[in-house]
């Protein structure tokens, strides 16, 4: 996503077993706002890449939630943020 925004309650990246999910939030003005929790690798492989001034926010963030899950988060570039308020 470049220059756009997504708002939801809870976010899941890599939810179902034997699947994978990738989310990219890049560029100034791009954001993903979760009013509750964000799960990166809930029951599968999940990847979130925040770059170029992008922003992700949530209350509680979980990386590699289940025992078989793998989660990866990369935050790079000036102004890029991942904010966990919980």
């Amino acid at each position: 996503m470049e220059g756009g925004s997504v708002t939801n309650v809870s976010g899941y990246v890599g939810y179902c077993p034997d699947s994978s999910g990738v989310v990219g939030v890049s560029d100034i003005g791009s954001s993903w706002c979760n009013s509750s929790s964000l799960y990166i690798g809930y029951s599968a492989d999940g990847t979130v890449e925040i770059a170029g001034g992008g922003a992700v926010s949530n209350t509680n963030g979980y990386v590699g939630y289940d025992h078989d899950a793998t989660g990866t988060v990369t935050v790079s570039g000036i102004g890029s943020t991942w904010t966990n308020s919980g």
Side-chain angles (χ1 to χ4, degrees):
M1 164 177 48
E2 292 186 15
S5 64
V6 173
T7 302
N8 56 278
V9 176
S10 294
Y12 296 86
V13 182
Y15 181 78
C16 295
D18 299 321
S19 70
S20 63
V22 176
V23 173
V25 182
S26 60
D27 202 12
I28 295 172
S30 297
S31 65
W32 183 17
C33 300
N34 300 272
S35 61
S36 188
S37 297
L38 174 59
Y39 299 87
I40 303 162
Y42 183 78
S43 294
D45 296 335
T47 301
V48 172
E49 299 171 355
I50 308 164
V56 173
S57 62
N58 48 266
T59 53
N60 297 304
Y62 301 94
V63 181
Y65 185 76
D66 277 348
H67 68 281
D68 288 334
T70 301
T72 304
V73 179
T74 304
V75 182
S76 63
I78 296 171
S80 301
T81 60
W82 180 22
T83 304
N84 296 272
S85 63

